[in-house]
Amino acid sequence: MNAPATADYAQETTPLWQRFLAGLNEFYHAPYRQTMARAARDEEDFFMLLMFAESLGIDNPASFYTLELQPLFLENFHEWHTRMGMDRCPFDHIGCC
């Protein structure tokens, strides 16, 4: 009869331990979540600028490599150009607005 009680005790402590680790992880990461999200957004904005720089009239030495990525990022282009302060789409051939 002793074996089932030990198994039940092990099953009860595992979720408690996992909840404790999840709470500890949240306690550690919560102050930095907004900073990390802002840094990721800034990095994505810079990458979008690098990708569409040639179309915006800015010389870009990496345009050959970024040209094939443009169709993948056109879905996010409207959010990006409004966040960058452009009310209308700067391209004539892309009708996002």
Side-chain angles (χ1 to χ4, degrees):
M1 273 198 163
N2 222 0
T6 309
D8 290 339
Y9 177 73
Q11 290 175 355
E12 289 176 11
T13 57
T14 303
L16 178 65
W17 180 249
Q18 288 176 352
R19 286 187 302 217
F20 176 72
L21 285 179
L24 194 60
N25 191 21
E26 183 69 23
F27 177 75
Y28 179 74
H29 290 288
Y32 307 109
R33 185 172 291 124
Q34 184 178 7
T35 305
M36 296 301 283
R38 185 179 300 125
R41 187 185 67 222
D42 290 346
E43 191 173 304
E44 183 181 337
D45 289 344
F46 178 69
F47 185 71
M48 291 282 282
L49 177 64
L50 182 66
M51 246 183 7
F52 291 103
E54 193 73 28
S55 300
L56 290 170
I58 303 169
D59 289 333
N60 181 8
S63 64
F64 176 74
Y65 301 106
T66 60
L67 187 62
E68 62 189 31
L69 296 174
Q70 284 184 0
L72 301 174
F73 283 87
L74 280 176
E75 299 170 355
N76 303 334
F77 185 73
H78 178 72
E79 295 173 13
W80 176 75
H81 81 77
T82 53
R83 193 169 51 240
M84 293 294 110
M86 298 178 233
D87 295 333
R88 305 274 308 146
C89 181
F91 305 135
D92 293 333
H93 60 280
I94 299 175
C96 73
C97 295

